[in-house]
Amino acid sequence: MKKLIKNSELIKRVLLVVMASMLTILSLVMLSISYESYNDGYGTDISIDMDYLVLTLCGIAFLIYGVYNIIAYKKNYSTQSAYYGTLGTISVLLSFYPLGVFFKALAKEKPFLEIQEYLYIGLLGLVLLLYLLFAYLSDKNKETKKGQN
């Protein structure tokens, strides 16, 4: 039990990589299933589901952060900038892509009930983005105060 408690920080980081790997693999599988290639009369057209592409990009960013997190733990590096960079990237993807899809669908006069999930996901992404912005500013403020003392 003591060994488990001693290695809990490393286990936590490995679980982060496992979760990010599962997300990335699942989204890649769903992305490959959504792949379509057809001849539209003017040439070959290739299409994929952009939702899965955004999810894949989020999973890859999450996976890179997880791997860096393990390396930083082993070498005693700070992960603060990687944390804000990764979650900032993910929150930008999770806010602006769904909101773009939502407003584009509204412009095409699609029913609100069919597209409302894009609005809600986009708003949650914006809240996450605002949280990260204020958390970053708070951390910078603490560092500035610590440097003045």
Side-chain angles (χ1 to χ4, degrees):
M1 186 67 170
K2 289 181 182 181
K3 194 173 189 178
L4 185 65
I5 293 171
K6 181 182 174 190
N7 293 324
S8 64
E9 188 66 29
L10 182 61
I11 292 169
K12 177 179 79 170
R13 294 168 193 240
V14 169
L15 287 174
L16 184 71
V17 170
V18 168
M19 188 170 54
S21 299
M22 290 172 54
L23 175 66
T24 303
I25 290 169
L26 178 66
S27 62
L28 278 173
V29 167
M30 297 305 290
L31 183 67
S32 66
I33 290 173
S34 74
Y35 173 82
E36 290 182 356
S37 175
Y38 53 91
N39 189 342
D40 62 358
Y42 296 103
T44 303
D45 190 24
I46 297 172
S47 68
I48 56 172
D49 189 342
M50 293 302 289
D51 295 349
Y52 293 131
L53 180 62
V54 169
L55 186 61
T56 301
L57 292 174
C58 290
I60 289 170
F62 196 38
L63 182 61
I64 290 170
Y65 172 72
V67 170
Y68 176 76
N69 209 351
I70 291 173
I71 293 169
Y73 176 73
K74 292 287 188 181
K75 296 190 177 191
N76 230 3
Y77 294 156
S78 171
T79 60
Q80 184 179 14
S81 61
Y83 169 79
Y84 287 118
T86 301
L87 288 182
T89 302
I90 291 171
S91 64
V92 164
L93 285 170
L94 288 180
S95 59
F96 295 124
Y97 169 73
L99 288 175
V101 170
F102 175 75
F103 289 118
K104 183 178 177 181
L106 274 183
K108 292 183 176 182
E109 299 180 359
K110 290 194 176 181
F112 177 79
L113 292 177
E114 290 180 13
I115 57 172
Q116 67 182 346
E117 63 269 3
Y118 288 106
L119 174 64
Y120 302 141
I121 293 169
L123 291 176
L124 286 174
L126 281 176
V127 169
L128 178 61
L129 190 61
L130 287 172
Y131 168 79
L132 286 171
L133 175 68
F134 287 114
Y136 177 76
L137 293 174
S138 174
D139 284 350
K140 286 297 176 186
N141 190 23
K142 286 178 187 176
E143 287 177 11
T144 304
K145 285 183 181 179
K146 196 182 283 187
Q148 290 176 351
N149 291 335

